[in-house]
mmCIF file of all heavy atoms in Angstrom:
data_model
loop_
_atom_site.group_PDB
_atom_site.id
_atom_site.type_symbol
_atom_site.label_atom_id
_atom_site.label_comp_id
_atom_site.label_asym_id
_atom_site.label_seq_id
_atom_site.Cartn_x
_atom_site.Cartn_y
_atom_site.Cartn_z
ATOM 1 N N ARG A 1559 -50.495 -93.057 -33.696
ATOM 2 C CA ARG A 1559 -51.794 -93.836 -33.535
ATOM 3 C C ARG A 1559 -52.649 -93.843 -34.854
ATOM 4 O O ARG A 1559 -53.158 -94.908 -35.198
ATOM 5 C CB ARG A 1559 -52.550 -93.134 -32.390
ATOM 6 C CG ARG A 1559 -53.512 -93.999 -31.692
ATOM 7 C CD ARG A 1559 -54.336 -93.181 -30.743
ATOM 8 N NE ARG A 1559 -53.592 -92.189 -29.826
ATOM 9 C CZ ARG A 1559 -54.081 -91.211 -29.271
ATOM 10 N NH1 ARG A 1559 -55.381 -91.016 -29.343
ATOM 11 N NH2 ARG A 1559 -53.387 -90.369 -28.574
ATOM 12 N N THR A 1560 -52.703 -92.716 -35.435
ATOM 13 C CA THR A 1560 -53.496 -92.571 -36.665
ATOM 14 C C THR A 1560 -52.853 -93.362 -37.763
ATOM 15 O O THR A 1560 -53.621 -94.160 -38.502
ATOM 16 C CB THR A 1560 -53.645 -91.155 -37.071
ATOM 17 O OG1 THR A 1560 -54.219 -90.358 -36.030
ATOM 18 C CG2 THR A 1560 -54.427 -90.908 -38.357
ATOM 19 N N LEU A 1561 -51.619 -93.288 -37.959
ATOM 20 C CA LEU A 1561 -50.841 -94.114 -38.977
ATOM 21 C C LEU A 1561 -51.255 -95.513 -38.805
ATOM 22 O O LEU A 1561 -51.533 -96.265 -39.728
ATOM 23 C CB LEU A 1561 -49.412 -93.892 -38.856
ATOM 24 C CG LEU A 1561 -48.754 -92.658 -39.640
ATOM 25 C CD1 LEU A 1561 -47.271 -92.679 -39.417
ATOM 26 C CD2 LEU A 1561 -49.117 -92.713 -41.073
ATOM 27 N N ARG A 1562 -51.076 -96.056 -37.528
ATOM 28 C CA ARG A 1562 -51.239 -97.433 -37.327
ATOM 29 C C ARG A 1562 -52.722 -97.863 -37.535
ATOM 30 O O ARG A 1562 -53.006 -98.929 -38.043
ATOM 31 C CB ARG A 1562 -50.837 -97.802 -35.882
ATOM 32 C CG ARG A 1562 -49.356 -97.710 -35.762
ATOM 33 C CD ARG A 1562 -48.763 -97.918 -34.407
ATOM 34 N NE ARG A 1562 -47.315 -97.762 -34.504
ATOM 35 C CZ ARG A 1562 -46.581 -97.131 -33.573
ATOM 36 N NH1 ARG A 1562 -47.063 -96.525 -32.559
ATOM 37 N NH2 ARG A 1562 -45.266 -97.029 -33.747
ATOM 38 N N ALA A 1563 -53.690 -96.890 -37.191
ATOM 39 C CA ALA A 1563 -55.104 -97.303 -37.419
ATOM 40 C C ALA A 1563 -55.415 -97.378 -38.973
ATOM 41 O O ALA A 1563 -56.060 -98.236 -39.388
ATOM 42 C CB ALA A 1563 -55.977 -96.243 -36.791
ATOM 43 N N LEU A 1564 -54.762 -96.464 -39.731
ATOM 44 C CA LEU A 1564 -54.994 -96.503 -41.169
ATOM 45 C C LEU A 1564 -54.352 -97.861 -41.694
ATOM 46 O O LEU A 1564 -55.025 -98.544 -42.528
ATOM 47 C CB LEU A 1564 -54.275 -95.333 -41.826
ATOM 48 C CG LEU A 1564 -54.929 -93.927 -41.558
ATOM 49 C CD1 LEU A 1564 -54.046 -92.853 -42.158
ATOM 50 C CD2 LEU A 1564 -56.321 -93.895 -42.094
ATOM 51 N N LEU A 1565 -53.191 -98.154 -41.299
ATOM 52 C CA LEU A 1565 -52.580 -99.420 -41.795
ATOM 53 C C LEU A 1565 -53.355 -100.660 -41.398
ATOM 54 O O LEU A 1565 -53.583 -101.587 -42.192
ATOM 55 C CB LEU A 1565 -51.133 -99.537 -41.218
ATOM 56 C CG LEU A 1565 -50.094 -98.505 -41.777
ATOM 57 C CD1 LEU A 1565 -48.769 -98.693 -41.042
ATOM 58 C CD2 LEU A 1565 -49.931 -98.636 -43.233
ATOM 59 N N ALA A 1566 -53.884 -100.598 -40.146
ATOM 60 C CA ALA A 1566 -54.602 -101.737 -39.646
ATOM 61 C C ALA A 1566 -55.913 -101.894 -40.421
ATOM 62 O O ALA A 1566 -56.417 -103.072 -40.648
ATOM 63 C CB ALA A 1566 -54.972 -101.587 -38.145
ATOM 64 N N GLY A 1567 -56.426 -100.790 -41.024
ATOM 65 C CA GLY A 1567 -57.613 -100.840 -41.793
ATOM 66 C C GLY A 1567 -57.363 -101.154 -43.235
ATOM 67 O O GLY A 1567 -58.203 -101.038 -44.127
ATOM 68 N N GLY A 1568 -56.089 -101.463 -43.549
ATOM 69 C CA GLY A 1568 -55.765 -101.911 -45.045
ATOM 70 C C GLY A 1568 -55.340 -100.759 -45.827
ATOM 71 O O GLY A 1568 -55.155 -100.906 -47.108
ATOM 72 N N ASP A 1569 -55.225 -99.524 -45.259
ATOM 73 C CA ASP A 1569 -54.741 -98.424 -46.072
ATOM 74 C C ASP A 1569 -53.290 -98.408 -46.330
ATOM 75 O O ASP A 1569 -52.571 -99.159 -45.704
ATOM 76 C CB ASP A 1569 -55.143 -97.106 -45.364
ATOM 77 C CG ASP A 1569 -55.315 -95.876 -46.265
ATOM 78 O OD1 ASP A 1569 -55.095 -96.081 -47.512
ATOM 79 O OD2 ASP A 1569 -55.702 -94.829 -45.778
ATOM 80 N N ARG A 1570 -52.889 -97.704 -47.350
ATOM 81 C CA ARG A 1570 -51.402 -97.540 -47.646
ATOM 82 C C ARG A 1570 -50.993 -96.120 -47.576
ATOM 83 O O ARG A 1570 -51.694 -95.273 -48.205
ATOM 84 C CB ARG A 1570 -51.060 -98.097 -49.035
ATOM 85 C CG ARG A 1570 -50.570 -99.572 -48.980
ATOM 86 C CD ARG A 1570 -49.696 -99.893 -50.134
ATOM 87 N NE ARG A 1570 -49.882 -99.165 -51.372
ATOM 88 C CZ ARG A 1570 -50.366 -99.741 -52.473
ATOM 89 N NH1 ARG A 1570 -50.614 -100.992 -52.501
ATOM 90 N NH2 ARG A 1570 -50.525 -99.058 -53.630
ATOM 91 N N ILE A 1571 -49.988 -95.817 -46.823
ATOM 92 C CA ILE A 1571 -49.495 -94.365 -46.663
ATOM 93 C C ILE A 1571 -48.563 -94.108 -47.809
ATOM 94 O O ILE A 1571 -47.582 -94.761 -48.098
ATOM 95 C CB ILE A 1571 -48.755 -94.223 -45.328
ATOM 96 C CG1 ILE A 1571 -49.594 -94.667 -44.168
ATOM 97 C CG2 ILE A 1571 -48.376 -92.690 -45.195
ATOM 98 C CD1 ILE A 1571 -50.899 -94.053 -44.005
ATOM 99 N N GLU A 1572 -48.935 -93.112 -48.580
ATOM 100 C CA GLU A 1572 -48.170 -92.776 -49.887
ATOM 101 C C GLU A 1572 -47.269 -91.638 -49.668
ATOM 102 O O GLU A 1572 -46.209 -91.498 -50.274
ATOM 103 C CB GLU A 1572 -49.099 -92.547 -51.010
ATOM 104 C CG GLU A 1572 -49.700 -93.875 -51.491
ATOM 105 C CD GLU A 1572 -50.992 -93.843 -52.190
ATOM 106 O OE1 GLU A 1572 -51.570 -92.762 -52.385
ATOM 107 O OE2 GLU A 1572 -51.438 -94.933 -52.556
ATOM 108 N N ALA A 1573 -47.595 -90.639 -48.806
ATOM 109 C CA ALA A 1573 -46.744 -89.552 -48.494
ATOM 110 C C ALA A 1573 -47.023 -88.896 -47.210
ATOM 111 O O ALA A 1573 -48.149 -89.019 -46.696
ATOM 112 C CB ALA A 1573 -46.784 -88.480 -49.644
ATOM 113 N N ILE A 1574 -46.040 -88.262 -46.665
ATOM 114 C CA ILE A 1574 -46.163 -87.601 -45.356
ATOM 115 C C ILE A 1574 -45.396 -86.243 -45.511
ATOM 116 O O ILE A 1574 -44.369 -86.149 -46.030
ATOM 117 C CB ILE A 1574 -45.429 -88.418 -44.193
ATOM 118 C CG1 ILE A 1574 -46.126 -89.734 -44.075
ATOM 119 C CG2 ILE A 1574 -45.541 -87.637 -42.838
ATOM 120 C CD1 ILE A 1574 -45.294 -90.787 -43.131
ATOM 121 N N ALA A 1575 -46.047 -85.163 -44.980
ATOM 122 C CA ALA A 1575 -45.379 -83.854 -44.896
ATOM 123 C C ALA A 1575 -45.693 -83.238 -43.612
ATOM 124 O O ALA A 1575 -46.912 -83.352 -43.125
ATOM 125 C CB ALA A 1575 -45.786 -83.041 -46.104
ATOM 126 N N GLY A 1576 -44.813 -82.590 -42.984
ATOM 127 C CA GLY A 1576 -45.125 -81.986 -41.728
ATOM 128 C C GLY A 1576 -44.235 -80.891 -41.212
ATOM 129 O O GLY A 1576 -43.017 -80.854 -41.594
ATOM 130 N N VAL A 1577 -44.730 -80.050 -40.388
ATOM 131 C CA VAL A 1577 -44.029 -79.120 -39.599
ATOM 132 C C VAL A 1577 -43.911 -79.840 -38.182
ATOM 133 O O VAL A 1577 -44.866 -79.943 -37.498
ATOM 134 C CB VAL A 1577 -44.748 -77.759 -39.456
ATOM 135 C CG1 VAL A 1577 -44.061 -76.898 -38.366
ATOM 136 C CG2 VAL A 1577 -44.754 -77.057 -40.828
ATOM 137 N N LEU A 1578 -42.725 -80.433 -37.996
ATOM 138 C CA LEU A 1578 -42.561 -81.331 -36.860
ATOM 139 C C LEU A 1578 -41.745 -80.819 -35.653
ATOM 140 O O LEU A 1578 -41.589 -81.523 -34.674
ATOM 141 C CB LEU A 1578 -41.877 -82.601 -37.402
ATOM 142 C CG LEU A 1578 -42.615 -83.438 -38.420
ATOM 143 C CD1 LEU A 1578 -41.759 -84.591 -38.955
ATOM 144 C CD2 LEU A 1578 -43.930 -84.022 -37.798
#
Side-chain angles (χ1 to χ4, degrees):
R1559 203 187 316 162
T1560 301
L1561 276 182
R1562 288 175 183 139
L1564 291 174
L1565 293 176
D1569 205 354
R1570 259 209 333 249
I1571 309 300
E1572 283 156 2
I1574 300 169
V1577 168
L1578 296 174

